[in-house]
Amino acid sequence: MVDIANRVWNHKWKIDPIVRSLIDTDFYKLLMCQSVFRNRPDTQVTFSLINRTKSIRLADLIDEGELREQLDHIRSLRLTRGESTWLRGNTFYGKRQMFRPDFMEWFENLQLPPYHLEKHDGQYELTFEGSWPEVMLWEIPALAVLMELRGRAVLHEMKRFELQVLYARGMTKLWEKVETLRQIDGLRLADFGTRRRHSFLWQDWCVRALHEGLGDNFVGTSNCLIAKNRDLEAIGTNAHELPMVYAALADTDEELAQAPYQVLADWHEEHSGNLRIILPDTYGTEGFLDRAPDWLAGWTGIRIDSGDPVKGTETAIRWWKERGEDPTKKLVIFSDGLDVDKIAELQAHFAGRVRISFGWGTLLTNDFRGLTDGDALAPFSLVCKAVSANGRPTVKLSDNPEKAMGPADEIARYKRVFGVGEQERMEVVV
Amino acid sequence: MVDIANRVWNHKWKIDPIVRSLIDTDFYKLLMCQSVFRNRPDTQVTFSLINRTKSIRLADLIDEGELREQLDHIRSLRLTRGESTWLRGNTFYGKRQMFRPDFMEWFENLQLPPYHLEKHDGQYELTFEGSWPEVMLWEIPALAVLMELRGRAVLHEMKRFELQVLYARGMTKLWEKVETLRQIDGLRLADFGTRRRHSFLWQDWCVRALHEGLGDNFVGTSNCLIAKNRDLEAIGTNAHELPMVYAALADTDEELAQAPYQVLADWHEEHSGNLRIILPDTYGTEGFLDRAPDWLAGWTGIRIDSGDPVKGTETAIRWWKERGEDPTKKLVIFSDGLDVDKIAELQAHFAGRVRISFGWGTLLTNDFRGLTDGDALAPFSLVCKAVSANGRPTVKLSDNPEKAMGPADEIARYKRVFGVGEQERMEVVV
């Protein structure tokens, strides 16, 4: 029999909210937010949505009213008591009270700041302005909302059996990946797929599939809400926005050259162990490591997030050896455009030479490639980045010029300051 | 686990349609429609919504946009192949091919005509104009939509446990009625509750509860869609709109006096047996029976739909005896404002003197009285009536002046023509 009360309840909602919690976000966002809250709380920043896949005309696919409803819903969210309890009481990376009381008090009173939305040439111009610790928390939910609304626009055209078979195929496809990953000895893998997930429920399903399928080889999820709900480890360290904003704030070329190290000096003071992971590629990995202070070689590991991952890792191994460190003790985290083949290949290549871990993102939580007509659900490359800080533009070079961003003259200046020469161009899929 | 495909499907709908089928209507509407289609197809009529419970300010409770969406959805409906097959192939009242091929062909091509909607003084003015056979089919869906949207407005303010307990109480309340009705020997009872139901799903639940609880004492439902889905008898005969429109079309007082009999003469030609049920109260039961032709006394029975039902039935019994008929062979159908107490009382009063049947409406399918704060879900008296025919106003007197309608001077003329004197005033609850 139809459960009438339940059905009435389900039909009461004006919208089906995509993001329902302020901790439905990546763990590293909260770590970085606390660092910014401590070290640079008054910085004024602008974050912007950037769709690197121009062929996906988001403003044609997604209704502006629905987008606003979802963003407005996110602005209505507040940290709940249970969420605060979990953040305050949990052990992250073996450490209790990772989040300091002053930060938690601020977070408990946080409402995300207003957004600015316009349509331009088939794309949405979505920007967030305000103080850095507030604005930065828009990144993940904004991306998740746009990815899921695009998916919903496609699903809206599908009928009942089509939908059932679509998800049956999606589940089969992921489970076959799990079966492949099971063959890899010593695998350590985490979910990094919040920002470009197909949907929250799908990410949750994928995480549970990995947990059942990989057992202890699945080390956790970057998504705090799922980590909390499923009693898993929350995983993550830091990202490009820290060096990008620190660099934009530099007054001279000398300060600019030092900015990426200043970020890690601040981090060094706050965190130890597995949280001391270098992200070296913001302004070119090679130059960054060459000029790095010695204390950085003592850090736990490195995250490879652009360019050829084999080349990047070999560079890091060489650098550790030069600085008298034992690479086999070092952790290398791969997180750029991973899928099972690349994971297997990198694991085979570096097993025994370094400790390895994988942060699997888009192709974990949003791989519906080949499952619909015209591949209408294929993932695409959407980012939400700090584009200015205290009125100055930010710049990112990375190890792949396809991922570079910023004004041309500033890119030229950064290349000169950081001594970046010719780079290998690689297609950005996701 | 969440069935993601199913959930996506359920959230795809822009609206939750209240009426999803052209046969989600009362069976007698279709019988009358066929009669009108045959005898008076070119009559132009106006039907109007009339809320007799002025304290319920529908236009304040129900969003106009939602109302329009529901009405527009009804205009998108067409008779489906399965529905047509059921109407063409079924046996109704023991007769096959109740619906003639020319009528079915017309029905299969029917789209309900446009509606006209305005707000006035906290109420909706909803009118339908056009040819009689088309416009008349708006009555039941229009009422069902307004009743359910009013219910939804109230449910919208309720939380999850409140809703669950509300329906638990509603179910308990109905089941206790079923247990009382079970005690009544020889009960014959049908569902007449489509027009003022709480919701389609609730009516369906109530019908199934009666079917399980009363067994063969439950004789069927007036709702064609539920009759089809649940393989039950579709029940109904004719209503006031026939004499009201025939009367409005009369050119002289003599024709007016004959109009109600002309309706039944047309009906006599088309139907036999249990479909020959007199509805005598449109212009006063007593005068109607006094002046009735003898052949009408040979009809199967009478439906008592206004005034004091004991008095009305005694009048009919007296009349049958005067005309040499045996009242114990006659069927009396009670259908006005019934609930279990009145059903038990009428059955006890007339058992053995006439054959009895009950058409239980609003207090079967919409009795949430006493179950919410401020009785916000209590049913109210909403009707949708023919108010003019070929430009002339219609008039109804009934056996209760509270149910009378029409312009004052026309009411006076009708009272004179039909010899209606002082009437007992009775409160109209539903």
Side-chain angles (χ1 to χ4, degrees), chain B residues 256-362:
Chain B
L256 174 57
Q258 280 310 306
Y261 307 113
Q262 185 56 47
V263 167
L264 300 185
D266 285 346
W267 198 262
H268 193 87
E269 243 180 70
E270 292 174 78
H271 299 296
S272 57
N274 276 343
L275 283 174
R276 288 186 175 166
I277 300 293
I278 305 164
L279 180 65
D281 68 326
T282 315
Y283 304 116
T285 295
E286 283 208 35
F288 176 87
L289 293 178
D290 282 350
R291 285 184 294 274
D294 279 338
W295 54 265
L296 212 49
W299 274 32
T300 308
I302 200 164
R303 181 155 74 91
I304 305 292
D305 199 46
S306 65
D308 175 352
V310 171
K311 193 174 151 205
T313 307
E314 296 292 1
T315 303
I317 290 173
R318 223 168 25 242
W319 174 70
W320 278 316
K321 285 184 178 163
E322 282 165 19
R323 304 285 175 119
E325 297 285 332
D326 177 0
T328 64
K329 303 255 160 61
K330 297 295 182 181
L331 180 63
V332 177
I333 300 173
F334 296 103
S335 62
D336 181 31
L338 295 177
D339 205 356
V340 276
D341 290 349
K342 203 184 279 186
I343 291 171
E345 182 191 316
L346 289 168
Q347 179 80 22
H349 194 98
F350 290 108
R353 297 181 58 203
V354 289
R355 290 162 53 214
I356 306 167
S357 187
F358 298 94
W360 193 13
T362 310

Side-chain angles (χ1 to χ4, degrees), chain B residues 215-263:
Chain B
D216 289 345
N217 295 335
F218 175 63
V219 297
T221 169
S222 64
N223 187 294
C224 298
L225 183 62
I226 296 177
K228 172 177 172 289
N229 290 347
R230 304 295 173 200
D231 212 0
L232 296 167
E233 292 292 329
I235 299 285
T237 55
N238 57 59
H240 299 103
E241 76 175 277
L242 293 179
M244 285 169 73
V245 173
Y246 274 54
L249 297 177
D251 286 324
T252 63
D253 284 358
E254 289 67 41
E255 273 182 44
L256 174 57
Q258 280 310 306
Y261 307 113
Q262 185 56 47
V263 167

